[in-house]
């Protein structure tokens, strides 16, 4: 059976934990090596990863490209403006063709239904590099970063401040799988997808919604923020006004535990969702988090190929 990674639940909690352990081991094994050098065992030697970008990307593009190189394979990068998908070729036809030519497909797109159709018609693994619904690869990197910094997941109190977007949906999904709790601080009208909350609660996680940022941050082990206005979103002025009370600043960080850490998947807008004193301060792990996209991606790829 082909292993697709469209959401974290496609792998499940045990496999997510195994991915993180694998990422830690492989990262440690290649310390001080050149970034483009393949791992000693090159477990995906001669494999080709097709990467489709219908939305702009820095971290997802570079991390997947470096990840497949370090695993011994190569990548082909495409965007909608330079492939037939952007000129009306169906998603199903694209999936069938790429399955004959490549060993796996990673896509970053706007509509989650599109990646589901791609996976339904592909005979090779399809990996979610971001959709409007979820961002599972980012969360594997986030969990890896927290564990590296001695934050045990079971019982962890994670506070999210801002928009109830795709990243938050995947965090809530992870909470149910990995048994931590989520304190969501967001304004009315910007709540996350309720299906993820329902599933996480059913799995035993505490997911609480607050309309006050200080309440959401109180006693948290981790504070997480993301940009307030995603690419192509309309009504930005009204959204910015609604989000401003949920800005992560020193007052918010003081509400969290004294050893709390800060995460942001980037790109960041200093002075909007986060102040420079936080993202560039001693509690911020954002640069480790960004680098860990590579190591997380490698483990996601190895899981998709049945190696984990």
């Amino acid at each position: 059976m082909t292993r697709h990674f469209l959401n974290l639940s496609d792998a499940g909690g045990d496999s997510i934990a195994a991915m993180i352990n694998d990422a830690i081991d492989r990262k440690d094994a290649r310390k001080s090596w050149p970034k483009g050098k393949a791992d000693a065992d090159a477990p995906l030697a001669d494999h080709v990863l097709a990467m489709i970008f219908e939305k702009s990307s820095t971290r997802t593009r570079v991390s997947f490209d470096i990840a497949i190189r370090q695993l011994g394979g190569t990548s082909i990068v495409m965007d909608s403006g330079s492939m037939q998908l952007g000129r009306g070729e169906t998603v199903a036809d694209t999936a069938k063709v790429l399955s004959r030519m490549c060993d796996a497909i990673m896509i970053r797109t706007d509509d989650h239904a599109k990646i589901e159709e791609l996976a339904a018609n592909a005979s090779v693994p399809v990996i979610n590099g971001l959709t409007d619904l979820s961002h599972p690869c980012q969360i594997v990197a986030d969990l890896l970063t927290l564990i590296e910094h001695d934050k045990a997941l079971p019982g962890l109190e994670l506070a999210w401040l801002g928009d109830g977007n795709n990243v938050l949906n995947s965090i809530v999904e992870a909470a149910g799988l990995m048994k931590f709790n989520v304190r969501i601080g967001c304004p009315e009208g910007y709540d996350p997808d309720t299906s993820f909350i329902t599933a996480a609660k059913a799995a035993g996680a505490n997911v609480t919604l607050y309309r006050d940022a200080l309440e959401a941050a109180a006693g948290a082990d981790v504070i997480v923020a993301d940009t307030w206005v995603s690419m192509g979103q309309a009504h930005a002025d009204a959204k910015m006004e609604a989000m401003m009370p949920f800005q992560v600043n020193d007052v918010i960080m003081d509400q969290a535990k004294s050893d709390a850490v800060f995460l942001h998947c980037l790109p960041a807008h200093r002075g909007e969702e986060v102040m420079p004193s936080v993202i560039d301060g001693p509690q911020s792990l954002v640069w480790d988090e960004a680098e860990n996209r590579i190591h997380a991606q490698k483990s996601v790829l190895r899981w998709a190929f049945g190696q984990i």
Side-chain angles (χ1 to χ4, degrees):
M1 182 177 176
T2 304
R3 284 185 167 185
H4 301 303
F5 191 67
L6 309 190
N7 284 303
L8 293 165
S9 54
D10 291 332
D14 290 344
S15 290
I16 297 295
M19 287 183 203
I20 293 170
N21 289 334
D22 178 74
I24 291 171
D25 291 342
R26 300 190 79 85
K27 180 179 179 180
D28 186 63
R30 58 172 298 118
K31 279 183 178 176
S32 303
W33 287 19
K35 303 294 191 296
K37 182 177 179 178
D39 289 354
D41 57 347
L44 292 184
D46 303 325
H47 287 64
V48 178
L49 173 66
M51 303 200 296
I52 303 172
F53 290 93
E54 293 195 306
K55 299 188 78 170
S56 301
S57 171
T58 297
R59 278 150 293 278
T60 297
R61 176 172 177 156
V62 175
S63 61
F64 265 107
D65 198 348
I66 297 298
I68 191 68
R69 291 189 202 193
Q70 292 186 358
L71 294 172
T74 59
S75 66
I76 297 174
V77 181
M78 297 164 283
D79 59 62
S80 57
S82 61
M83 62 186 297
Q84 300 298 344
L85 184 62
R87 299 178 62 245
E89 184 170 58
T90 68
V91 172
D93 287 355
T94 299
K96 292 170 185 173
V97 171
L98 291 182
S99 295
R100 297 292 186 100
M101 296 181 174
C102 301
D103 299 295
I105 305 168
M106 189 285 299
I107 182 169
R108 181 178 173 93
T109 186
D110 50 0
D111 186 357
H112 194 80
K114 192 178 293 184
I115 197 171
E116 291 179 332
E117 184 178 359
L118 191 72
N121 289 277
S123 57
V124 299
V126 173
I127 297 170
N128 180 356
L130 178 144
T131 69
D132 58 347
L133 183 68
S134 60
H135 198 2
C137 291
Q138 176 66 56
I139 305 312
V140 177
D142 290 0
L143 300 182
L144 165 61
T145 304
L146 292 173
I147 290 172
E148 277 186 330
H149 288 269
D150 300 323
K151 298 292 186 186
L153 296 183
L156 185 84
E157 294 289 335
L158 183 150
W160 170 277
L161 298 183
D163 189 20
N165 63 11
N166 48 1
V167 179
L168 175 57
N169 288 338
S170 290
I171 286 176
V172 172
E173 185 178 35
L177 296 172
M178 310 305 289
K179 312 306 177 192
F180 62 91
N181 304 315
V182 184
R183 309 166 61 88
I184 302 170
C186 68
E188 287 190 58
Y190 298 97
D191 294 350
D193 190 295
T194 54
S195 66
F196 287 94
I197 294 177
T198 300
K201 287 183 174 179
N206 292 322
V207 181
T208 310
L209 192 59
Y210 298 89
R211 301 302 183 198
D212 183 278
L214 292 174
E215 286 186 48
D221 298 290
V222 188
I223 303 288
V224 188
D226 191 6
T227 183
W228 289 336
V229 180
S230 299
M231 290 174 285
Q233 279 191 336
H235 310 299
D237 291 343
K239 188 173 185 180
M240 293 284 286
E241 183 177 352
M243 292 292 161
M244 189 53 73
F246 297 86
Q247 179 191 72
V248 179
N249 49 40
D250 292 329
V251 175
I252 291 292
M253 293 303 295
D254 285 344
Q255 293 297 307
K257 291 179 181 175
S258 59
D259 62 346
V261 296
F262 174 75
L263 295 181
H264 190 305
C265 63
L266 304 175
H269 298 83
R270 290 168 174 78
E272 294 181 7
E273 73 272 9
V274 62
M275 292 301 290
S277 58
V278 175
I279 192 170
D280 300 317
Q283 292 171 280
S284 173
L285 301 181
V286 298
W287 312 119
D288 288 346
E289 182 185 10
E291 180 197 333
N292 279 338
R293 291 295 304 276
I294 295 174
H295 308 292
Q297 255 64 301
K298 290 168 69 176
S299 293
V300 169
L301 283 164
R302 283 187 10 93
W303 175 84
F305 282 99
Q307 296 182 353
I308 294 176

